[in-house]
Amino acid sequence: MLELKKKKSQASSVNAEGRLRHIAFIMDGNGRWAKKQGMPRTYGHVAGAKNFKKIIEYCGSIGIGAVTVYAFSTENWKRPADEVKTIMSLFRDYLDEAEKNWREKDIQIHFLGSKEVFPPELRSRMERLEQESADRRQILNIAVNYGGRADIVHAVNTLIAQGKTEVTEADITASLYTAASPAPDLIVRTGAEQRLSNFLLWEAAYAEFYFSEVLWPDFDERQVDLAVNEFYQRKRRFGGL
Ligand code: FPP
């Protein structure tokens, strides 16, 4: 019954053609959203984390097989200590939740970025979740302590450690943190800024971009539909004619 319901909503959804296989979000604007309401920036991250859960669920319901979110960059450590602490605590909360329900939600989880900065206990929880959920259907990539350049360097060093003296594009693609996902079809940035901020630099080569003025906590299902509709208006040529 549940499966039937899912299939039905997928068929009538904005992604009925199924060409959008991987969507990635730069979840920008949490701080400004909070400020607008006279609240501290951390309040915006709490609302942002709540929205992240809603949006990944919705993307799954419209048949998008892979979702990537930019939760914390290698540069975000420079933010005030209380803000870093809040984001890390929201991340821990999500880990708690994911450990409980990844089976039921059918989610395959990957963490993009080096785990070395995290305490050993957190690191082993992240690794365990990745291993245990590996056979699930919908891919969820959470970029934490992530940088696109660092990912490319990490991939090349992995290949060198394997004894390679020359590498191909396919070698690098297969050694990135996103190796399990198809290349992103659509990269969405909320919060009115129009830049990549060191996100998916290699993978973005042929991605479509969608920039929204809406701040992340307000970016709801209707906003996702607008982005997906826009994606289907684009003519993708991948360098051909
Ligand atoms: C950018 O908004 C947002 C971040 C740097 C953090 C995003 C984190 C979350 C949505 C919550 C934690 C995530 C998970 C996966 C549990 P900003 O702070 O730069 O906003 P601003 O541009 O308005 O200042």
Side-chain angles (χ1 to χ4, degrees), residues 41 52 101 111 141 158 183 185 214 225:
R41 292 176 52 82
F52 143 79
N101 65 21
F111 298 98
N141 296 312
T158 304
D185 298 298
V214 177
D225 284 356

Side-chain angles (χ1 to χ4, degrees), residues 27-32 41 45 48-49 52 71 76 79 87 90:
M27 309 182 286
D28 198 10
N30 293 345
R32 278 166 286 159
R41 292 176 52 82
H45 293 309
F52 143 79
N76 287 153
R79 293 192 175 204
I87 297 175
L90 290 165

Side-chain angles (χ1 to χ4, degrees), residues 14-23 62-65 182-186 208 228-236 238:
V14 282
N15 189 36
E17 277 184 49
R19 276 194 287 121
L20 178 44
R21 299 191 305 155
H22 182 178
I23 189 167
I62 59 170
I64 301 177
D185 298 298
L186 179 64
E208 297 295 326
V228 175
N229 280 328
E230 169 72 27
F231 169 79
Y232 277 104
Q233 301 303 313
R234 306 272 175 92
K235 295 233 173 333
R236 302 185 83 193
F238 298 96

